[in-house]
Amino acid sequence: MADELGLSAHPTSMSDLPTPPAEPDPRWTPAIATVSLGTAEFHTLPAKIEAAAQNGQRGLELFHDDLAQFAKSLRASSGSQAAARTDRDFEIDAAHAIRELCEQKGLQVLALQPFRQFEGLLNAVEHANRIEELKHWTKLCLILGEDLFILIPSSFLDDSQITGDRDRLVSDLAEAADVVFPVRIAYEALAWGTYINTWEDSWEIVKRANRPNLGICLDTFNIAARIWADPTSPTGRLPAHADSDLTESMHRLVREVDPDRVWMVQLADGERVDPQAPFLRVPGMPELLSWSRNARLFPCEEERGGYLPIRQVTDACLSKLGYTGWVSMEVFSRSTMDAQPSVPNDHAARAARSWRRMLQQLDSGE
């Protein structure tokens, strides 16, 4: 299967040589989001799977864009049979093939994401359509692995399309958890979410929904971006009180969050960019979202411009909280949009080096 789908068992150049993985840590298992290894348009999922495995990753956050692109390749090769089958049919086929590829490479699919713009929809028909799509995602998850979760990021639709009523948001997340059971759902607060944009917000919704298969995802970039950063400022950050605000928030996180309800911790830093960078000024797009899509970095990449207080946030989410489980690198970047075939391995190697550095920092208490 691997050779048929274009995977190579051997590096083709010095730049393709894998980065040795960090020594296994009994507390945390390293993973990477497929979006961190290149865009689906330019970089195939088999190439990403190979790169992740070669660089010591144990798990994959599978982006639906990658699965859908893989399904399109299966449709294209199916000839006359394609007309009689739906896109969802080919996504089911893709899920089976992806699981086989990952098992061959010693990888586990841990999540399918992102199930965007779900909670709080004012239009009942749109809500019903999203529930039907969620049922399809549940089928995909049951094929992809034994213990997956679906990641639902907080909605960032205009307030004319969604409500911020907490009772409604709780009801929607509870309904989603019931629909996908026994598959799990992780709810994540995006820094640019319309109504839910802090970990405190997402944790409140999860607690109130009170479903055994509903937990949260903690993301170092989103936490720091919301409470500390301002990429449009000459300093790259909010005023001085942001330091104390972040410290207090991390104290609350350690004190209030149940680590057994954290399905995953995602690691990423942010790049210090020119406040006038064109990609920050996209009409109709929140500046934090534009920054996130173009300028995330792997942790401990200060040499590339990383500057967020990620070490402090990571220490709280991992060591101090007492969380054990998957820790995934989730990096969106303009560098993933490069069409060069070396991108998946280059990014996987960077992730491996970043994980090693982060473990060293956590263990040394720096």
Side-chain angles (χ1 to χ4, degrees):
M1 171 70 80
D3 290 339
E4 293 171 3
L5 292 171
L7 285 172
S8 172
H10 304 286
T12 58
S13 69
M14 288 300 293
S15 63
D16 293 326
L17 291 174
T19 295
E23 288 297 318
D25 190 295
R27 299 166 292 181
W28 308 302
T29 308
I32 193 165
T34 55
V35 73
S36 304
L37 300 171
T39 60
E41 178 184 3
F42 296 132
H43 305 288
T44 69
L45 188 57
K48 295 180 183 185
I49 291 171
E50 176 78 1
Q54 287 286 325
N55 286 278
Q57 300 298 336
R58 301 277 300 282
L60 287 180
E61 285 183 73
L62 178 60
F63 263 63
H64 186 262
D65 288 354
D66 286 296
L67 185 147
Q69 188 67 33
F70 192 77
K72 287 179 182 178
S73 70
L74 295 180
R75 176 185 280 277
S77 63
S78 65
S80 60
Q81 300 177 0
R85 307 185 71 220
T86 68
D87 289 344
R88 287 184 177 179
D89 290 333
F90 281 103
E91 288 192 358
I92 293 292
D93 293 347
H96 284 289
I98 290 166
R99 178 166 182 169
E100 181 180 346
L101 283 170
C102 287
E103 288 178 347
Q104 289 173 1
K105 297 296 178 181
L107 292 170
Q108 178 180 336
V109 180
L110 62 118
L112 181 63
Q113 72 132 317
F115 194 80
R116 295 190 180 101
Q117 317 296 27
F118 168 71
E119 79 281 26
L121 287 168
L122 294 173
N123 186 301
V125 173
E126 291 179 1
H127 175 80
N129 289 339
R130 297 303 283 149
I131 290 295
E132 288 305 307
E133 181 68 10
L134 193 58
K135 292 177 181 177
H136 171 60
W137 279 44
T138 303
K139 293 178 183 177
L140 295 174
C141 286
L142 292 172
I143 294 167
L144 287 164
E146 304 298 332
D147 188 28
L148 272 76
F149 61 84
I150 296 169
L151 191 147
I152 298 182
S154 59
S155 177
F156 52 94
L157 291 172
D158 186 85
D159 59 11
S160 65
Q161 298 174 272
I162 58 173
T163 179
D165 179 76
R166 292 291 171 105
D167 290 340
R168 170 62 189 282
L169 302 182
V170 168
S171 175
D172 283 353
L173 266 296
E175 180 185 11
D178 291 342
V179 165
V180 307
F181 189 84
V183 173
R184 294 174 296 151
I185 286 176
Y187 188 44
E188 177 186 7
L190 299 180
W192 51 91
T194 309
Y195 296 111
I196 304 298
N197 47 50
T198 67
W199 72 262
E200 289 95 337
D201 292 332
S202 61
W203 181 232
E204 177 194 344
I205 299 297
V206 166
K207 286 192 298 181
R208 290 183 56 193
N210 192 28
R211 294 296 190 274
N213 61 325
L214 178 63
I216 61 170
C217 170
L218 297 173
D219 181 296
T220 61
F221 177 89
N222 280 303
I223 290 172
R226 183 68 191 182
I227 199 170
W228 191 91
D230 180 2
T232 66
S233 166
T235 64
R237 52 164 295 168
L238 294 169
H241 64 78
D243 290 329
S244 59
D245 289 346
L246 181 64
T247 297
E248 291 171 7
S249 180
M250 293 302 93
H251 286 328
R252 283 197 302 275
L253 185 149
V254 173
R255 186 171 61 248
E256 298 177 11
V257 171
D258 178 357
D260 291 335
R261 299 299 295 279
V262 179
W263 298 159
M264 178 174 62
V265 174
Q266 293 172 323
L267 303 186
D269 199 345
E271 178 187 351
R272 180 81 177 273
V273 298
D274 181 347
Q276 302 303 316
F279 61 72
L280 291 178
R281 312 291 179 176
V282 179
M285 183 178 292
E287 290 158 342
L288 287 176
L289 171 55
S290 300
W291 183 44
S292 170
R293 287 185 175 176
N294 287 276
R296 290 200 193 194
L297 293 169
F298 295 102
C300 308
E301 289 193 321
E302 290 80 8
E303 73 278 4
R304 294 176 180 266
Y307 76 105
L308 298 181
I310 296 305
R311 169 67 180 81
Q312 179 183 359
V313 179
T314 302
D315 188 40
C317 292
L318 296 184
S319 299
K320 292 180 179 177
L321 182 62
Y323 167 79
T324 58
W326 291 107
V327 179
S328 180
M329 302 288 182
E330 189 194 47
V331 170
F332 303 83
S333 173
R334 57 199 185 280
S335 65
T336 64
M337 304 173 198
D338 188 331
Q340 292 295 322
S342 62
V343 165
N345 192 75
D346 291 344
H347 283 68
R350 284 172 56 192
R353 290 192 295 270
S354 174
W355 180 233
R356 185 185 301 107
R357 292 173 182 173
M358 182 56 72
L359 285 178
Q360 291 171 347
Q361 289 186 11
L362 290 172
D363 290 339
S364 67
E366 293 177 5

